[in-house]
Amino acid sequence: IIAIVRGVYGEDCLNLAKALCEGGIKLLEVTFDQSNPDAWKKTADTVKRLVEELGDQMAFGTGTVTTLEMVELAKNAGAQFIVSPNTNEKVIRATVEAGMVSMPGAMTPSEVLDAYEYGADFVKLFPVGNLGTSYVKANNSQQVIYFMSNAHSANPQRITHYKYWFAEGTANPFVAKGQWVDYTVAVNPDAGTISYSFSGSVGASPANANAGK
C-alpha cells in the first residue's frame, strides 16, 4: 500500500508519516500540486525531511510527476520512487537514470508497453475506476504487471478498497500469480489509528488467505 499525501507539508506531514509507519504503512507518496508551482519546493523540502528523519523505516517518493523539473526536485530531495498519471518518455527515462523507481500511469495496452519500453519498473493502470476488472483481463499479458491505483481521500472512519492484479506473482506469501488481491483500509484520524486487511479474491490457490493489522 502506498499512502498518498496532498497539500500537507513540513511538520504536519512528518507527524502523519510517523502515524502511518506505526500503523504498518511503509510507503508514502507526497504529490506535486499541479495548480500551484510555487508549492513544488515545499513538496521537495518535505520529502527531504521525511527521508532524513524516517528514511530507515519507510520509503518516500513523489507523485503527480509530469515534468523533468519535478524529477530533478524529487531526486535532490532523496525520493526513492516517482509516480506519474501519464506515460511520459522523458520523465520515465530521467527517473530511471536518476536511480529512482519509475511508476507511470497508463490506460491503453500501447501506453503500458511503451512505458516498459522506456524503462518503467511498474505501470499504474490509471484511471482504474473507469476501466474495471474485465478491461484488465482482456488486455493482460505475461509480460505486463498491472499495478492498479485507486486513490481516495482519507476521511474519518472511511473505508477504502484497493485492488491489485499480479500477472507474474509476487514475493508476498499471501498472493500468487494470476490472482486478484483486495486491500481494505480503514482510517480513523480522531483515534489516530489505521487498520488494513487483504485477501485473495480470484484464483484457485492455497495462497488465498486473510491477514490484518
Side-chain angles (χ1 to χ4, degrees), residues 1 11 19 31 34 37 40 51 56 58 66 80 85 94 98-99 106 126 128 142 144 150 153 183 190 192 195 203 207:
I1 298 173
E11 190 74 18
T31 65
Q34 298 291 325
W40 294 357
V51 172
D56 60 338
M58 299 178 68
T66 58
Q80 294 167 274
F126 181 81
V128 65
Q142 294 303 307
V144 177
N150 193 357
S153 299
Y183 281 85
D190 295 330
S195 61

Side-chain angles (χ1 to χ4, degrees), residues 113-191:
L113 293 176
D114 282 346
Y116 279 114
E117 179 67 24
Y118 301 150
D121 296 286
F122 302 96
V123 174
K124 177 180 71 170
L125 188 58
F126 181 81
V128 65
N130 298 331
L131 299 176
T133 59
S134 60
Y135 180 87
V136 177
K137 291 180 179 179
N139 290 281
N140 186 50
S141 76
Q142 294 303 307
Q143 296 180 335
V144 177
I145 298 176
Y146 287 99
F147 177 89
M148 302 183 69
S149 172
N150 193 357
H152 295 280
S153 299
N155 297 321
Q157 309 296 341
R158 179 156 189 167
I159 303 298
T160 302
H161 296 280
Y162 300 80
K163 187 181 289 289
Y164 296 86
W165 167 256
F166 291 96
E168 289 293 343
T170 171
N172 191 318
F174 292 99
V175 296
K177 177 180 178 178
Q179 181 181 358
W180 285 102
V181 176
D182 284 306
Y183 281 85
T184 301
V185 181
V187 180
N188 187 344
D190 295 330

Side-chain angles (χ1 to χ4, degrees), residues 15-207:
N15 291 333
L16 174 60
K18 290 178 179 178
L20 288 168
C21 187
E22 291 177 2
I25 306 299
K26 302 301 182 182
L27 299 170
L28 179 61
E29 169 194 331
V30 184
T31 65
F32 283 104
D33 186 347
Q34 298 291 325
S35 66
N36 184 16
D38 292 336
W40 294 357
K41 186 178 185 301
K42 288 200 297 184
T43 296
D45 290 343
T46 296
V47 171
K48 182 178 181 179
R49 184 171 180 185
L50 291 171
V51 172
E52 290 174 348
E53 300 202 25
L54 294 173
D56 60 338
Q57 302 176 60
M58 299 178 68
F60 299 100
T62 57
T64 320
V65 178
T66 58
T67 69
L68 294 180
E69 180 182 356
M70 292 178 185
V71 174
E72 188 68 17
L73 285 169
K75 172 188 174 182
N76 293 337
Q80 294 167 274
F81 61 89
I82 293 288
V83 181
S84 299
N86 61 330
T87 304
N88 183 312
E89 180 179 0
K90 292 182 179 179
V91 167
I92 294 172
R93 293 192 185 281
T95 298
V96 174
E97 290 174 2
M100 295 179 288
V101 174
S102 172
M103 292 186 279
M107 185 173 183
T108 68
S110 294
E111 288 176 339
V112 170
L113 293 176
D114 282 346
Y116 279 114
E117 179 67 24
Y118 301 150
D121 296 286
F122 302 96
V123 174
K124 177 180 71 170
L125 188 58
F126 181 81
V128 65
N130 298 331
L131 299 176
T133 59
S134 60
Y135 180 87
V136 177
K137 291 180 179 179
N139 290 281
N140 186 50
S141 76
Q142 294 303 307
Q143 296 180 335
V144 177
I145 298 176
Y146 287 99
F147 177 89
M148 302 183 69
S149 172
N150 193 357
H152 295 280
S153 299
N155 297 321
Q157 309 296 341
R158 179 156 189 167
I159 303 298
T160 302
H161 296 280
Y162 300 80
K163 187 181 289 289
Y164 296 86
W165 167 256
F166 291 96
E168 289 293 343
T170 171
N172 191 318
F174 292 99
V175 296
K177 177 180 178 178
Q179 181 181 358
W180 285 102
V181 176
D182 284 306
Y183 281 85
T184 301
V185 181
V187 180
N188 187 344
D190 295 330
T193 62
I194 300 172
S195 61
Y196 62 92
S197 63
F198 59 88
S199 61
S201 58
V202 175
S205 167

